[in-house]
Amino acid sequence: ATPLLPIQILFVNLLTDSLPALALGGEPSEPEFMRSQPRRSTAIFGRDSAAALLGIGALIALATFAAYAWGQTSGDDALASRLTFATLVGSQLSASFAFRSQLRSVFQLPRNLWLLFAVAGSALALVAVFYVPVLQDAFETGSLSPSEWGAVCGFSLVPFVVVEAVKLSGLARRLPGDE
C-alpha cells in the first residue's frame, strides 16, 4: 500500500503552498537588511541555498517517515497512511514559522497575525479531512485518537525545533552565504 494517495498529495500542496505562502510573502524585511553588506550574486539554487533547502527537506522527510514507521508498528497500513499525511502537512506548516527569517528566531520577531491565521486555517482544513464524513471518504481517512494527534504534533514540530535551535545557537550566522 502507498503511504499517500494522489488526492492527499494535492491537498498537502494546497494547504502548505497557498495561505501560509501568501502570509510569508507579506512578511516585512528584517530591520538590518538595508544596513547589511550586499551579498555576492548567486544562483537561485546555488551551493549556498542548497544546504538550507536540503536540510529542511530532510527534516520534513525524517518527521514524515518517523510518523509512518510509528504507524506501521501497529500493523495497520491505514493508520500509518493517516499519520504520514497529517505529519507531512503539520511539519510543513510548523516549518513555515521558521521560514520567516534566515538568521533570527521566530521568538525574536514581531508577530505575524496573517501567518498565524493562515496556519490555523490550514490546520482546521486538515482536521476536517479526518472528521467530516464526506471528506473522510474522498481522502480515505478516518479519525485519529488523541495520542495519535499528539504523535503527529510531536513529529511535525521536528523541523521547526531544529531550525530554530540552529538560529538561536548562532550557527546560522556562520553558514556560507549568510554573512
Side-chain angles (χ1 to χ4, degrees):
T2 59
L4 294 171
L5 300 171
I7 192 168
Q8 292 173 335
I9 294 169
L10 291 172
F11 197 66
V12 168
N13 289 331
L14 177 70
L15 288 182
T16 61
D17 292 342
S18 57
L19 295 178
L22 289 171
L24 284 171
E27 185 80 25
S29 63
E30 296 190 41
E32 64 274 358
F33 180 73
M34 293 304 288
R35 290 187 295 261
S36 63
Q37 292 290 324
R39 291 185 182 181
R40 59 181 160 71
S41 177
T42 59
I44 292 173
F45 293 108
R47 188 181 62 211
D48 292 344
S49 62
L53 292 172
L54 291 173
I56 195 71
L59 289 169
I60 291 170
L62 175 71
T64 305
F65 285 133
Y68 181 77
W70 187 70
Q72 282 292 309
T73 62
S74 70
D76 184 352
D77 287 341
L79 173 62
S81 177
R82 290 193 305 271
L83 294 171
T84 301
F85 177 46
T87 300
L88 181 57
V89 172
S91 62
Q92 290 188 36
L93 291 177
S94 77
S96 67
F97 288 102
F99 293 149
R100 291 185 61 201
S101 171
Q102 288 180 318
L103 302 175
R104 293 174 58 205
S105 169
V106 70
F107 304 110
Q108 299 167 329
L109 298 170
R111 279 191 214 116
N112 180 339
L113 290 179
W114 291 112
L115 183 59
L116 288 172
F117 291 137
V119 169
S122 295
L124 284 174
L126 176 65
V127 170
V129 165
F130 285 90
Y131 292 99
V132 174
V134 68
L135 295 176
Q136 284 179 328
D137 292 341
F139 289 91
E140 297 184 29
T141 61
S143 61
L144 293 174
S145 71
S147 65
E148 291 162 351
W149 277 115
V152 166
C153 291
F155 291 130
S156 295
L157 286 173
V158 167
F160 172 79
V161 169
V162 171
V163 171
E164 288 300 303
V166 167
K167 287 191 242 180
L168 287 170
S169 72
L171 179 61
R173 293 195 184 282
R174 295 189 295 270
L175 294 175
D178 289 331
E179 293 96 33

